[in-house]
Amino acid sequence: GAEDMLDTVRERTQDIEVGLLINNAGFTNSGDFLDNSLEQELLLLHVNCRAAMVLAHHFGQGMRERGRGGMIFSASIAGYAGIPYWGQYSASKAYDLILAEALAGELGQHGVDVLALCPGATRTEFESYEGWIARLMVAEPAGVVRQALSKLGRRHTTVAGLLNLVNVLATRLLPRRVHSWLFGIVIRDMVKH
């Protein structure tokens, strides 16, 4: 997320042909938006959105010139609804989702596959999953990775996990405020733990 990150990336990858970019960096600031520091919220914006865009722009140019390559953006099912206590995070993941879908349309004609991967809760160092959500919805990273790689080049967006797919489909059927409220209950439970 640092302002000069592209200089560092260029320097360290100048002799490497990057054929697959996985924009997977991300974090969240849980809790009330106004109680979080502005510095942490800006850092989230830089890591979750700006860095993904900068890397896609940089490496995408080489992929387009070569006529091949792939990009996977780690979006999230959180990107389908504004989520209380994760407002900035859900907004950042909506950005990643929409950017990936748009780039899939633009770059596909040049032989570059782009995928928005939308997992739900996944057992990583990102978040500690305790309480009832862990018993219901936490996926293992290996399964999420297998799904992403199997869908790259075949779809523009994939939702990992059947229950997560049901949640995403519900965003199409329920009013947005209802889905936001339901997600908010889940996140509030996680924040408490």
Side-chain angles (χ1 to χ4, degrees), residues 18-26 47 51-52 55-56 59 63 69-75 113-115 117 144-145 148-149 152:
V18 174
L20 178 63
L21 170 66
I22 301 176
N23 273 318
N24 192 42
V47 171
L55 294 172
F59 290 114
M63 292 177 193
M71 296 182 200
I72 298 174
F73 285 75
S74 286
D113 298 317
V114 182
L115 177 73
L117 170 64
V144 174
V145 169
L149 293 175
L152 182 62

Side-chain angles (χ1 to χ4, degrees), residues 153-187:
R154 296 178 42 219
R155 304 204 46 187
H156 294 169
T157 305
T158 188
V159 177
L162 182 59
L163 191 53
N164 293 322
L165 182 58
V166 169
N167 281 329
V168 167
L169 292 175
T171 65
R172 308 280 197 264
L173 303 173
L174 297 171
R176 291 180 64 81
R177 63 180 163 70
V178 172
H179 206 71
S180 179
W181 174 75
L182 290 171
F183 264 123
I185 290 170
V186 173
I187 299 307

Side-chain angles (χ1 to χ4, degrees), residues 1-192:
E3 292 294 326
D4 63 346
M5 68 165 268
L6 187 54
D7 294 336
T8 303
V9 168
R10 279 187 182 125
E11 178 184 316
R12 295 192 180 166
T13 61
Q14 63 186 345
D15 297 328
I16 299 171
E17 181 181 303
V18 174
L20 178 63
L21 170 66
I22 301 176
N23 273 318
N24 192 42
F27 73 96
T28 187
N29 296 319
S30 297
D32 292 335
F33 172 74
L34 297 178
D35 293 338
N36 295 333
S37 75
L38 180 58
E39 292 76 20
Q40 278 300 106
E41 294 298 332
L42 286 169
L43 182 60
L44 185 150
L45 185 65
H46 285 300
V47 171
N48 292 13
C49 299
R50 183 179 174 277
M53 181 274 297
V54 167
L55 294 172
H57 189 270
H58 175 68
F59 290 114
Q61 291 175 345
M63 292 177 193
R64 183 178 65 181
E65 287 172 15
R66 291 188 298 273
R68 66 183 185 282
M71 296 182 200
I72 298 174
F73 285 75
S74 286
S76 172
I77 64 168
Y80 286 92
I83 301 175
Y85 313 107
W86 266 12
Q88 172 85 310
Y89 177 74
S90 58
S92 74
K93 291 304 168 177
Y95 174 87
D96 292 336
L97 170 65
I98 298 303
L99 179 60
E101 289 176 340
L103 292 179
E106 289 180 26
L107 296 176
Q109 62 189 324
H110 300 287
V112 180
D113 298 317
V114 182
L115 177 73
L117 170 64
C118 299
T122 305
R123 196 174 312 282
T124 67
E125 68 281 354
F126 173 75
E127 188 71 59
S128 171
Y129 292 104
E130 300 175 19
W132 64 272
I133 189 171
R135 291 187 296 277
L136 288 178
M137 298 174 56
V138 179
E140 294 301 323
V144 174
V145 169
R146 272 193 304 277
Q147 180 170 340
L149 293 175
S150 73
K151 299 297 182 184
L152 182 62
R154 296 178 42 219
R155 304 204 46 187
H156 294 169
T157 305
T158 188
V159 177
L162 182 59
L163 191 53
N164 293 322
L165 182 58
V166 169
N167 281 329
V168 167
L169 292 175
T171 65
R172 308 280 197 264
L173 303 173
L174 297 171
R176 291 180 64 81
R177 63 180 163 70
V178 172
H179 206 71
S180 179
W181 174 75
L182 290 171
F183 264 123
I185 290 170
V186 173
I187 299 307
R188 184 176 59 227
D189 181 64
M190 284 174 48
V191 169
K192 285 180 182 177

